[in-house]
Amino acid sequence: MADYTQMWKDLGLDLEAHDQLLAVLGQGYQDIFLSRQNRPEGMGYFDFVMSEVHGLRIQELVDGKKQGRKVVGAYCVFVPEEIVLAANATLVGLCAGADFAMAEVENLLPRNTCALIKSAFGFKLGKVCPYLESADLIVGENTCDGKKKAFETLSTLVDRLHVLDLPQVKSEEGRALLRAEYARFIGVMEELTGNSITADGLKQGIRTVNAKRAALARLAAVRGVEPAPISGLDALLANQVSFYDNPERFTESVNKLADELENRAAANQGVFPAGAPRILLSGCPMAVPNWKLPWIIESAGAVIVGEESCVGERGLRNLVDDSAETAGGLLDAIVSRYLDIDCAVFTPNPDRKKHVLDMAEKYKADGVIHYSLNFCQPYQLEAMPLEKELEATGLPVLRLETDYSPEDAEQLKTRVEAFVEMIS
Ligand code: BJ8
């Protein structure tokens, strides 16, 4: 990596803390990804992106800002990238998957807050995230109670925060609320960028994001083949990179990877031996560098064939209909697509159970591992009835709760190995 010290300094990063984070990230990446055999060649692109995740990509964002292109950071897949692109701005994901500056975080948030929220605060307080520091606007959302209240505190730490008030019920009133909030977000984006959001701009934004989701859906589909041509870790990585990368370049790279995987599948070339137990992972999103559980699962000899998660199929399912000719019609289409996201904050949320069952069938899963972060009430509360319903269909389920620390790795390993053996 070139020397980006001056850029990081200009962004206000704490260079010493940032070096520590990069060292941990680099070592983890080496151990979990680079040291593995039989990876598709197309993963080379994602390895490169990861090696430059705080370098070249940030340089692109900073250069874009000099040309007037604003950066918007978000913590949830309910923030519509279509609208951000229509305003000629760039959307980046800010969820973080590592503990940092936890002592300072626990001065602001209760200890029993989920790791995802604490990590986001740790990256801010520790001044280690160049994406967060490049952002001209942070968008939060009223989803779970933890995020809702944490954004009140985050508003005191960042220059500009806009919070979307999201519905929790999929009713007509819920749809109207989402439409009103997205219309308000259009106003915020126009004011931030000085650009008007037109029907043409929305259409182009929709097409760009649809192409990205379609490419990821191709990658997902080929994992249904036995033996699976790509590991769950590599597929997860591609999904994680989708939150940072330039969308057009990302789409092209995922399509190239999918071409290679389709050839591998046709040649019966699996990444694990034929007959390896196939796992569907379901639950909370996994942000970079949260690879602990997938690594444990695949080290136990199973292959993860799908992620029922916002960093996975919940986040990429469904395209936006781009056929309307007016900005209002296109906004309606965006609302329809996003209202279908089956996040556990919705009540009731029957679609999620249906999606897990559909995915288990489509990807020929032998079992489901349900993953919740500690203290994540929405996903923990859904996990119990979901487990019962899946088991009633004959699908074995392992329900796990964990966080970002390595402390429970041995215990998780024991439980995962026993489950993998049971479904083998
Ligand atoms: S649409 S899943 S990205 S809210 S893990 S912070 S739920 S206590 S992340 Fe999410 Fe949007 Fe829903 Fe998806 Fe709260 Fe749970 Fe923490 Fe969570």
Side-chain angles (χ1 to χ4, degrees):
M1 188 158 68
D3 185 1
Y4 294 104
T5 312
Q6 191 56 47
M7 177 179 76
W8 295 331
K9 228 184 205 168
D10 294 345
L11 286 172
L13 297 192
D14 177 329
L15 295 181
E16 206 178 311
H18 182 245
D19 276 354
Q20 283 169 20
L21 178 74
L22 284 189
V24 172
L25 189 64
Q27 189 57 54
Y29 199 78
Q30 172 66 38
D31 295 346
I32 292 176
F33 292 94
L34 300 181
S35 60
R36 289 196 358 265
Q37 308 292 316
N38 195 17
R39 298 175 71 215
E41 270 177 36
M43 287 311 296
Y45 172 75
F46 301 93
D47 291 340
F48 174 71
V49 171
M50 286 304 293
S51 71
E52 289 286 345
V53 70
H54 282 198
L56 214 49
R57 181 59 182 142
I58 301 299
Q59 185 73 64
E60 287 179 342
L61 297 182
V62 169
D63 290 348
K65 280 159 70 83
K66 285 184 191 146
Q67 315 288 320
R69 191 176 175 99
K70 303 287 185 190
V71 175
V72 176
Y75 294 98
C76 179
V77 295
F78 264 98
V79 179
E81 187 174 10
E82 295 86 344
I83 292 175
V84 175
L85 292 176
N88 200 28
T90 302
L91 183 71
V92 290
L94 296 178
C95 287
D99 291 339
F100 211 86
M102 280 300 122
E104 287 157 87
V105 172
E106 287 176 9
N107 283 329
L108 289 179
L109 298 174
R111 180 169 286 197
N112 59 352
T113 304
C114 90
L116 195 139
I117 297 173
K118 282 165 105 175
S119 170
F121 271 64
F123 276 35
K124 178 67 202 168
L125 295 169
K127 299 194 187 112
V128 291
C129 179
Y131 290 90
L132 186 49
E133 302 309 330
S134 323
D136 300 288
L137 171 74
I138 311 284
V139 185
E141 17 54 63
N142 288 347
T143 44
C144 64
D145 285 352
K147 275 184 163 181
K148 221 179 286 179
K149 301 308 287 182
F151 284 129
E152 292 176 13
T153 305
L154 191 70
S155 69
T156 65
L157 304 177
V158 299
D159 290 339
R160 192 161 178 192
L161 175 75
H162 173 76
V163 178
L164 291 169
D165 186 13
L166 296 184
Q168 313 239 313
V169 177
K170 292 184 179 177
S171 56
E172 275 317 302
E173 290 78 7
R175 175 180 292 272
L177 172 60
L178 189 60
R179 194 184 192 286
E181 283 298 290
Y182 283 177
R184 191 166 69 98
F185 182 51
I186 286 178
V188 170
M189 286 305 304
E190 289 184 330
E191 194 262 314
L192 177 77
T193 61
N195 299 326
S196 297
I197 294 186
T198 62
D200 282 349
L202 278 176
K203 210 171 253 235
Q204 189 47 51
I206 289 170
R207 288 182 179 155
T208 301
V209 183
N210 277 352
K212 175 159 90 165
R213 294 200 179 112
L216 283 167
R218 259 187 86 194
L219 189 154
V222 76
R223 296 167 73 192
V225 172
E226 161 64 18
I230 184 169
S231 67
L233 275 161
D234 276 340
L236 173 65
L237 185 71
N239 274 288
Q240 289 174 331
V241 167
S242 73
F243 289 87
Y244 307 101
D245 203 4
N246 168 290
E248 286 90 359
R249 189 176 56 210
F250 175 83
T251 300
E252 197 187 319
S253 306
V254 175
N255 276 323
K256 267 194 203 142
L257 175 63
D259 290 342
E260 182 188 351
L261 297 181
E262 284 162 9
N263 289 336
R264 275 185 162 219
N268 218 17
Q269 191 187 346
V271 76
F272 282 70
R278 300 167 66 87
I279 303 279
L280 178 68
L281 201 50
S282 169
C284 293
M286 287 178 167
V288 171
N290 177 13
W291 302 305
K292 177 174 70 173
L293 184 58
W295 176 74
I296 288 173
I297 295 170
E298 298 206 319
S299 301
V303 56
I304 299 166
V305 291
E307 295 79 25
E308 190 279 316
S309 156
C310 285
V311 184
E313 206 144 317
R314 190 183 318 122
L316 65 90
R317 182 182 289 122
N318 297 339
L319 305 186
V320 175
D321 178 355
D322 68 351
S323 61
E325 292 305 330
T326 62
L330 292 165
L331 179 58
D332 285 333
I334 291 173
V335 170
S336 292
R337 187 263 162 198
Y338 281 82
L339 198 60
D340 265 351
I341 296 173
D342 53 355
C343 172
V345 299
F346 282 98
T347 178
N349 192 27
D351 290 350
R352 183 160 169 243
K353 179 188 66 188
K354 187 180 161 303
H355 284 141
V356 175
L357 281 167
D358 287 351
M359 286 181 72
E361 191 183 336
K362 191 163 60 166
Y363 302 126
K364 304 184 188 76
D366 300 306
V368 175
I369 295 187
H370 191 281
Y371 152 79
S372 311
L373 284 171
N374 291 336
F375 313 117
C376 171
Q377 289 188 339
Y379 282 90
Q380 287 186 10
L381 283 162
E382 277 200 354
M384 297 171 98
L386 187 64
E387 176 184 30
K388 284 198 182 79
E389 299 205 36
L390 296 180
E391 286 186 341
T393 70
L395 206 52
V397 179
L398 175 65
R399 190 157 44 84
L400 297 174
E401 286 158 21
T402 181
D403 56 20
Y404 293 169
S405 84
E407 277 158 29
D408 62 352
E410 280 309 310
Q411 192 198 350
L412 286 173
K413 208 168 152 235
T414 308
R415 294 189 62 198
V416 167
E417 283 172 355
F419 184 70
V420 169
E421 199 180 318
M422 193 258 290
I423 63 172
S424 291

